Amino acid sequence: LPMTAAAIFILAGMIGGGFQQALGGEFFRWFHLVRYEPPRTLRDGRTWHGFRPEGEKYGALVTVNLETDANDRIADATLCLDRAFVEHAKDGAFARDITASFLRWALPPAAQEQAAGFLAELGDLGPNVIRLAGAPVPPPADPTALYAVYLGRDKDAEQRMPGVTLRRTNLQARDGPRDPQHDWIWIRVD
């Protein structure tokens, strides 16, 4: 995954957009997303498509799953991140980058405005990052509900916005305490 993708995405939201257009778009090119499984037919004429970043380092840590309708339009999109990747001291910045880029890619402009607080929280890379004068101030210590899920503090959160719903869910591989080595977070826009 290249360094700062979020800065290059000025997008109008792909939910409801054409599948082929999405595949040829900047988000898929920037993160080198390639199919990791053949498409699967679902109910109601929908089709599931699974993609991962090409390459060994991030390929096992990130998936982007899309469902298209019978007209080949994107009905929903899910970004799945390995919890250890999100919490990694260095690579966690890349997890934040693809998360913010995914949301800017998937959400329509009005929804991006409503998710601005969460997007700002994702943009804060912590106290050890050198900031230029005039750079945005880090978000407050009290996180939004969506960010609390991203941090692993809560199990799930949902935000309804114009035309879409944004859901975050932490998935545990087994019962008991959270285990970053085996857990995932799903970020779904539908």
Side-chain angles (χ1 to χ4, degrees), residues 24-111:
E26 193 63 30
F27 178 71
F28 272 74
R29 284 194 311 267
W30 184 265
F31 290 104
H32 304 278
L33 297 175
V34 296
R35 274 192 195 278
Y36 71 92
E37 276 185 39
R40 284 188 261 154
T41 302
L42 304 173
R43 67 193 181 304
D44 301 330
R46 286 187 172 207
T47 304
W48 176 91
H49 306 271
F51 301 90
R52 289 187 172 168
E54 191 173 45
E56 288 181 38
K57 184 168 184 176
Y58 298 108
L61 305 175
V62 176
T63 62
V64 175
N65 300 320
L66 305 177
E67 286 186 26
T68 54
D69 63 18
N71 296 317
D72 216 24
R73 315 280 302 154
I74 298 172
D76 66 54
T78 304
L79 174 68
C80 308
L81 300 169
D82 186 293
R83 171 56 58 194
F85 177 46
V86 170
E87 295 181 7
H88 192 274
K90 287 172 138 180
D91 290 341
F94 296 116
R96 289 170 178 269
D97 186 33
I98 196 168
T99 300
S101 297
F102 170 79
L103 292 172
R104 288 185 178 98
W105 172 80
L107 294 173

Side-chain angles (χ1 to χ4, degrees), residues 10 14 17 22 24 51 64 87 91 96 110 113 117 127 144 150 153 155 157 175 180 190:
I10 302 173
M14 286 305 302
F51 301 90
V64 175
E87 295 181 7
D91 290 341
R96 289 170 178 269
E113 287 178 26
T144 63
Y150 188 83
R153 295 179 188 169
K155 174 133 176 77
D175 290 333
D190 58 6

